[in-house]
Amino acid sequence: MFGSLRIYNYRLYASGQIISLVGVWMQRVAQDWLVLDLSDGSPVALGFAAALQFLPVLLLSMWGGVLADRMDKRKLLLWLESALGVCALALGLLDVTGVVELWHVYLLCLLLGAFSAVETPVRQSFVVEMVGRDQLTNAVAINSMMFNSARIVGPAIAGVTIVAIGTGWVFLANAISFVGVVGGIWLMRTSQLLRSDPVPREKGQLLSGLRYVRSRPDLVTVMLLVFFIATFGMNFYMTLAIMARNVFGGDADAYGLLSTLIAVGTLAGAAWAARRKTPKLSVFIGAGVVFGLLEIVSGVMPTMLLTGLMMIPVGVAMMTFTTTANATVQLAVEPEMRGRVMGIYMLVFLGGNPVGGPLMGWLGEINGRAPIIIGGAVSTVVTLTAWVVLTRRGVIAKPRLRRQQRDAVVESEETVDAAA
């Protein structure tokens, strides 16, 4: 399960990343709560803040992929992680000094989104340079385990801290946490990195990445499903805040509890993914269907406790879906195209939030349960549609054919054993 941690550079990266991710999740909870406080609990304001943070993904993520193919990814990450830490520091200082206003939060959401839009495809495509192709699936799963371990710890700490001393100190703690990830990248042994040759600067490199993805039906299928489910089904940063405050009348610690429970599920899903050697399209499709159905059920639960308990299996299905998608895309592409393809992947994964965020916020104004129920319905319908199309085209074998294939394998093995 932890095979890639035997690699020195990846151990450094993982050690710094887990510290930073705890701070990032603390900031996400604090930022959402600060927006709600400054806007008198407006779901539309929360959706607008989310849209600003994810809007740069539409403009910059693919260019981040181009930079990842052209430049030294390690050096680029050092600058980008430092910039993210400075943004957290600025928001923290504004908050603890008592001068923060809603437009300050909006502006820093936009800046954070800009740096993250470039940083994410660079970081995603850097993983294979640390661990190699053989350990890539394992490393992607461990990344998800770290992300979701932090997702358990971060919101829980943030909920208690916000109630005790306010949101500003949470932002400052996140700024300090970036020292860990920057230090880990700085201390890497560059001679042990499995770098691909940088792509020379040429015109049309962004368009060549788009044409490459368009020519691959397997990549197009994964990208489309990731777009719809991430845009409409994975808005938990907002839907859980609305459920906690406006449906169940809870405080910041209630939001932190719901976020922690879904993280328990995603951590379990990531641990299961770490045991799989290769991603399978059938697992990807099945996880999407299960995720959508479970999300609908969680949205109609009558109490916050039942909603929280449903978040655990929702998290398992969600992480199985996203981990399989990420590994499928990275292993399916040539090294010289990986940065640009991951830029497109992050565009479809996060780029729908400027649409989904305000839309779900508007639905939350009408009914606090509507965003999570409708998100689950959209996820279920689009995944089932993809399953029908892929089955008819023979990309995914029909159940009867799969049984026949398994029977044939068993019969062949029995024949070999008898002969032996």
Side-chain angles (χ1 to χ4, degrees):
M1 185 185 295
F2 302 104
S4 55
L5 289 175
R6 291 194 296 265
I7 300 169
Y8 173 79
N9 283 338
Y10 187 72
R11 282 201 307 274
L12 279 178
Y13 169 83
S15 300
Q17 193 74 2
I18 189 64
I19 296 171
S20 179
L21 284 171
V22 170
V24 167
W25 274 108
M26 290 173 62
Q27 170 149 337
R28 287 191 180 186
V29 174
Q31 180 179 290
D32 290 347
W33 209 254
L34 179 61
V35 170
L36 288 173
D37 280 343
L38 294 175
S39 64
D40 295 323
S42 171
V44 172
L46 188 59
F48 184 63
L52 286 174
Q53 189 157 345
F54 290 110
L55 180 62
V57 173
L58 296 174
L59 305 174
L60 299 175
S61 63
M62 288 196 294
W63 287 108
V66 172
L67 291 176
D69 286 336
R70 287 180 181 174
M71 300 176 63
D72 186 319
K73 298 179 183 64
R74 174 178 166 273
K75 292 180 179 178
L76 195 54
L77 279 177
L78 284 172
W79 287 105
L80 292 168
E81 297 288 354
S82 299
L84 290 169
V86 170
C87 289
L89 177 64
L91 184 54
L93 292 175
L94 286 170
D95 198 359
V96 296
T97 55
V99 300
V100 66
E101 297 180 15
L102 193 56
W103 72 267
H104 293 145
V105 184
Y106 287 159
L107 176 60
L108 285 165
C109 282
L110 188 63
L111 289 174
L112 278 167
F115 289 123
S116 295
V118 179
E119 183 264 353
T120 303
V122 176
R123 173 168 45 84
Q124 294 280 344
S125 57
F126 184 56
V127 173
V128 72
E129 294 192 359
M130 289 185 283
V131 302
R133 289 182 59 86
D134 291 343
Q135 290 289 347
L136 177 62
T137 303
N138 180 260
V140 169
I142 290 179
N143 285 348
S144 298
M145 291 174 68
M146 292 189 297
F147 182 83
N148 290 288
S149 297
R151 192 174 184 173
I152 294 172
V153 177
I157 296 174
V160 174
T161 305
I162 292 169
V163 172
I165 57 177
T167 53
W169 295 101
V170 176
F171 301 133
L172 293 178
N174 181 39
I176 295 172
S177 74
F178 277 94
V179 174
V181 67
V182 172
I185 296 172
W186 180 267
L187 293 172
M188 285 183 181
R189 296 170 182 167
T190 55
S191 60
Q192 295 181 7
L193 293 174
L194 306 172
R195 292 171 170 168
S196 56
D197 294 331
V199 176
R201 182 185 180 91
E202 296 177 356
K203 291 183 178 180
Q205 287 179 321
L206 184 61
L207 291 176
S208 67
L210 290 169
R211 286 193 293 267
Y212 177 81
V213 170
R214 188 180 62 182
S215 68
R216 297 281 302 274
D218 55 336
L219 294 179
V220 171
T221 299
V222 173
M223 298 285 188
L224 285 175
L225 283 183
V226 166
F227 172 77
F228 279 103
I229 293 180
T231 300
F232 300 104
M234 296 183 183
N235 290 294
F236 296 113
Y237 61 89
M238 182 178 63
T239 56
L240 293 184
I242 295 172
M243 292 280 284
R245 181 179 179 124
N246 295 0
V247 175
F248 299 118
D251 209 335
D253 52 351
Y255 175 35
L257 175 63
L258 290 178
S259 298
T260 299
L261 287 172
I262 193 172
V264 171
T266 52
L267 177 60
W272 181 46
R275 294 179 177 273
R276 297 196 304 269
K277 292 184 178 181
T278 56
K280 294 182 179 180
L281 192 59
S282 58
V283 173
F284 171 70
I285 296 292
V289 174
V290 172
F291 168 76
L293 294 174
L294 289 174
E295 190 174 17
I296 294 171
V297 174
S298 68
V300 299
M301 289 291 102
T303 66
M304 190 177 73
L305 177 60
L306 291 175
T307 300
L309 291 176
M310 279 302 304
M311 286 294 108
I312 297 176
V314 167
V316 173
M318 180 175 72
M319 189 47 53
T320 302
F321 176 84
T322 56
T323 302
T324 307
N326 190 305
T328 297
V329 170
Q330 291 215 52
L331 288 174
V333 302
E334 284 80 11
E336 64 272 13
M337 297 297 299
R338 185 171 289 115
R340 279 167 283 181
V341 173
M342 290 309 297
I344 298 169
Y345 176 82
M346 296 316 302
L347 172 64
V348 300
F349 189 72
L350 299 173
N353 281 279
V355 176
L359 176 60
M360 292 300 163
W362 174 72
L363 289 172
E365 291 272 16
I366 299 172
N367 186 304
R369 297 178 181 273
I372 196 168
I373 295 173
I374 293 175
V378 171
S379 300
T380 303
V381 170
V382 297
T383 312
L384 285 174
T385 301
W387 177 77
V388 171
V389 172
L390 293 176
T391 301
R392 288 181 175 177
R393 292 183 177 181
V395 178
I396 297 178
K398 295 181 180 179
R400 180 180 298 177
L401 179 58
R402 285 200 298 269
R403 287 195 297 270
Q404 292 173 350
Q405 291 171 343
R406 285 197 299 268
D407 293 343
V409 170
V410 171
E411 184 179 350
S412 176
E413 290 176 349
E414 290 176 348
T415 302
V416 171
D417 290 341

